[in-house]
Every structure is written in structure tokens, then in C-alpha cells.
Amino acid sequence: MAEGAVRRPNIRDVAARAGVSYQTVSRALNGHPNVRPETLAKVEAAIVELGFRPNAAARALVRRSSRTIGLLTLPTTDYGPQTQAIAIETAARDAGYRIVLTNAASTSVDDLAAGLRFLRETSVDALVVSVAETSMLEALAQLSVGVPYVTLEPTGLAFGHSVAIDQRVGARLAVEHLAGLGHRRLWHLRGPDGSIDAGARARGFAERTGELGLASEGTMVGDWSADSGYAIGRRMLADGARAVVVANDQMALGLMHACRDAGLSVPGDVSIVGFDDVPEAAHYPTALTTVRQEFEQVGTAAMRVLLDDLAGLVHLRIPPVLIERGSTAAPAA
């Protein structure tokens, strides 16, 4: 903000002045019937005192009457997207909205357009688009969305708000952890080509190994499954891999299996860092050191970005956290 500029009051300022939550202010702005009269009076008084004026997107939401948010995603049972979807539904319900979900059949322009068309036909007030692949992002850029929307991806290249875990930072944390233990030669088992998250993690891995003067011994591409972690892990171990940053916890599980079959111990012979912190990670044969993604925060933040009073485009990045467990140790002598 330029020196001397005055920040416009936003929905959180109104909430603080009224002594209520920002969700309550959102409900009041949207005419939700469950807002008590005395609470509504406090919110209205705070709005007048602060001179609060919703921006164009917020006013659009207030004018519409469906109180429905569309969620467009690809079919998946993966932990992260499912957890985000639950958090989005919860945050929407707390703000007086309901979620209508549809799955795009593929990442093509036609299938993405069909999904958007279905959601617009249900008169959604806004959209959350879970973007997993670069082809989906490219297809979205060719379409007219027509309502306020937020994408769940880390590039910020779409023409709307975006909210995501900072994948590059997560990979950098994994590299720093292994370097701190004394490892100087690192391998990377990345996710599939075309995956936005896999690409961001690979870039973070390459950047931080270079900055720390570490040897990046090789990167191999998996498909997120434990089976691919096992198959590719066998090849990595045969090539001498002893410290591996793995792009998700399922492939890390497969790599652990490959270590056992090769007669190598984790972490005595091989140190492994995963990514995601799925609920099972703490209970793997050796508890997995991994990068925790706060998926619930992504879902909640996506709704906040849509429903709060925000000027201009917002690209919110949520930092991940490294969880140290038993799968990493100093290199063997």
C-alpha cells in the first residue's frame, strides 16, 4: 500500500467492530434467516460506523438469491481433494450457502465447459474450481466463467482468485531436512507429467538442492500410486538412492516396500520424505517423515476469498509444514 493510503474497511473489520464472526457478517449481508435481530443490528451499526462498502464481487453475491456455490473438480478419491471438498462444504454452510458439486469428465475444454454450464444452470452465485492438471488450467482460460470464482491451484494463472498450498515451499522443506541430517546426494520421485502440484514440487526440489550445493542424482516420474513407488523405487535403489524426496505419501509407501525387498532398512540405509501427511503416514511400517498440507485450510480459505470483501485478485498461498518422524536419519557411515 502506498504511503499515506488508507485501507478500506473489510468484512473482518465489520466483524471485529460488531463483536461477531466474519461468517455472521456474511450471513447478515446475504439476508440469512438465522441471524438474530439484535445481531443484525450490531452488524448494521458497525457497517455505518466504518463506512464499509462491499466490492463488486461481494455485491453480486448479495444480489443473488440462490445462496449456492458450485464446486467443479475431476473425479478422485484422493485424500487431499476429498478433504478440501469437505472443508469447502462446511465453510459454505457456516456462511449460509450450500454446495453443488459436479465432476468434469476430463480436462478438455468441452468437458470443462459442460461442467461449468451445468453449474450455471443451477444458478450458482460463485464457483470453486479444483484444478489438478495444467491442461485443465489451459482449458479454463479459454472459457467465460460468468460468476466470481476461485481456483485451487498454486500457479495463479487463471483469471480469478486462487488458493493453494505452496508446493514449492514444501519440497524445499524436504530438501532442507535431509541436508540438515547430513545427506549430500538426493533423489526425487515426482508425480506425473501434467500435474500442477508435481511440477511445483519438482521445481522446489531442484531450486533448493542447487542453492545448498547438493547433488541432485536423479528424478523419476511416478503416477501417485504405491505400485509406482515400488516399481520406480526398485530402480532408484539399484542406482544407489539413499535419500529420496517423494512427491506423495502413497509412492513413499511403495518405496519403503522396495527397500524391504532390497534388504535395506529405513532410515538406517535409506531416508525417505513423503508429501501430504495422509492419516496413515504415522502408522507406516516406519512412521513417515512428510510434508503436511493443511487441506482444511485451503477449503476454508477458498470460501473466505469468495465471500469476504476483497479488492482485486487474490492469490493466497498457505505454507506447508514438515512433520519429522522415523523415516529419516543421518546417512550411514
Side-chain angles (χ1 to χ4, degrees):
M1 184 179 293
E3 185 176 354
V6 177
R7 181 177 68 83
R8 286 193 308 127
N10 60 33
I11 194 170
R12 291 180 179 274
D13 298 321
V14 173
R17 179 65 63 91
V20 299
S21 68
Y22 80 87
Q23 293 98 329
T24 297
V25 176
S26 179
R27 293 189 195 102
L29 288 172
N30 287 283
H32 195 278
N34 291 339
V35 179
R36 293 181 297 178
E38 57 269 28
T39 301
L40 181 60
K42 290 180 183 179
V43 171
E44 291 174 342
I47 289 172
V48 172
E49 292 171 13
L50 293 173
F52 168 73
R53 290 181 300 171
N55 67 4
R59 284 197 300 271
L61 291 180
V62 171
R63 286 196 300 269
R64 293 182 175 92
S65 60
S66 74
R67 294 197 185 92
T68 303
I69 304 294
L71 175 57
L72 178 63
T73 186
L74 294 175
T76 180
T77 58
D78 289 347
Y79 170 71
Q82 289 293 316
T83 305
Q84 286 178 167
I86 292 169
I88 290 167
E89 195 279 331
T90 300
R93 187 173 65 249
D94 287 346
Y97 287 79
R98 62 190 177 94
I99 291 291
V100 174
L101 180 147
T102 191
N103 293 313
S106 76
T107 61
S108 72
V109 173
D110 288 345
D111 284 337
L112 191 59
L116 291 173
R117 185 166 56 251
F118 168 79
L119 291 171
R120 285 200 299 264
E121 287 172 354
T122 64
S123 301
V124 296
D125 296 338
L127 287 172
V128 179
V129 185
S130 182
V131 182
E133 300 180 16
T134 53
S135 56
M136 191 174 182
L137 189 64
E138 292 163 358
L140 184 64
Q142 300 179 46
L143 300 172
S144 174
V145 177
V147 294
Y149 73 96
V150 58
T151 54
L152 306 184
E153 48 80 27
T155 69
L157 296 178
F159 297 104
H161 301 303
S162 67
V163 176
I165 305 292
D166 196 323
Q167 307 293 330
R168 288 173 59 252
V169 166
R172 291 170 67 90
L173 290 174
V175 170
E176 290 166 4
H177 173 67
L178 290 171
L181 292 171
H183 293 278
R184 307 300 299 171
R185 302 171 60 220
L186 273 57
W187 280 255
H188 182 43
L189 174 48
R190 62 161 285 167
D193 294 332
S195 164
I196 293 174
D197 287 350
R201 293 169 198 174
R203 288 191 296 274
F205 173 86
E207 289 169 358
R208 197 60 180 138
T209 51
E211 291 165 1
L212 295 176
L214 306 176
S216 177
E217 296 290 349
T219 295
M220 295 187 181
V221 180
D223 64 7
W224 299 128
S225 71
D227 284 346
S228 74
Y230 176 79
I232 296 168
R234 292 188 60 161
R235 289 157 43 198
M236 296 185 89
L237 296 173
D239 287 344
R242 294 298 181 266
V244 187
V245 174
V246 187
N248 78 334
D249 291 346
Q250 282 81 11
M251 290 194 298
L253 177 61
L255 176 57
M256 286 183 170
H257 184 185
C259 288
R260 291 196 304 274
D261 283 0
L264 299 170
S265 69
V266 178
D269 299 308
V270 183
S271 284
I272 300 171
V273 181
F275 211 111
D276 285 341
D277 194 26
V278 298
E280 299 84 5
H283 307 287
Y284 281 6
T286 300
L288 182 65
T289 295
T290 187
V291 176
R292 173 180 292 167
Q293 300 200 74
E294 301 293 352
F295 294 114
E296 293 87 352
Q297 288 187 26
V298 173
T300 302
M303 291 306 303
R304 176 163 58 84
V305 164
L306 280 179
L307 300 178
D308 276 11
D309 177 52
L310 300 168
L313 288 183
V314 173
H315 301 302
L316 179 62
R317 300 294 168 262
I318 299 171
V321 179
L322 184 94
I323 305 299
E324 185 175 357
R325 296 195 180 101
S327 66
T328 51

